[in-house]
Amino acid sequence: MPFPLDERFLIAAETSLGVRFPEPYRARLLAQNGGDVELGADESFTLHPVRDDSDGKRTRRTWDDVVRQTQLARAWPGFPPDAIAIGDDGCGNALVLLPLASST
């Protein structure tokens, strides 16, 4: 069961990754740090949590966090260098966030 997340942990993850997450994703993490999302009838992904070391239980549940998973994914051949790995389906497929192209 995912826990709510204190925003300071979210800010730390964003800082580590050099991004600001989209507001809907931020809101989801603050309400439920991790958990599953359904993207279609046959598509379910587990979201990587944001590391939360506020107590032992949360540390154990969030050690394999979005920052670590993104660092691992960036070592894969062909993985976009600026993508953020936010989840996986347990079958080798990653759910990623890609930055919007700048219009300037």
Side-chain angles (χ1 to χ4, degrees):
M1 172 179 238
F3 294 102
L5 180 68
D6 186 296
E7 189 172 23
R8 68 187 161 112
F9 298 113
L10 183 56
I11 292 168
E14 291 173 326
T15 300
S16 180
L17 293 167
V19 299
R20 176 155 171 99
F21 294 134
E23 289 305 319
Y25 179 59
R26 291 180 106 256
R28 169 63 161 74
L29 287 170
L30 292 170
Q32 291 185 341
N33 186 20
D36 296 325
V37 293
E38 301 289 327
L39 300 180
D42 295 328
E43 289 186 287
S44 177
F45 285 81
T46 299
L47 294 177
H48 303 309
V50 168
R51 183 167 172 77
D52 177 344
D53 59 6
S54 60
D55 66 42
K57 189 175 201 176
R58 289 178 187 232
T59 299
R60 286 188 300 279
R61 288 187 178 188
T62 63
W63 73 270
D64 193 19
D65 70 325
V66 66
V67 174
R68 179 178 182 281
Q69 285 297 316
T70 296
Q71 291 167 341
L72 292 172
R74 287 180 176 168
W76 301 344
F79 190 83
D82 54 354
I84 308 297
I86 65 167
D88 68 63
D89 67 357
C91 295
N93 297 305
L95 183 62
V96 301
L97 291 177
L98 294 169
L100 295 174
S102 176
S103 59
T104 58

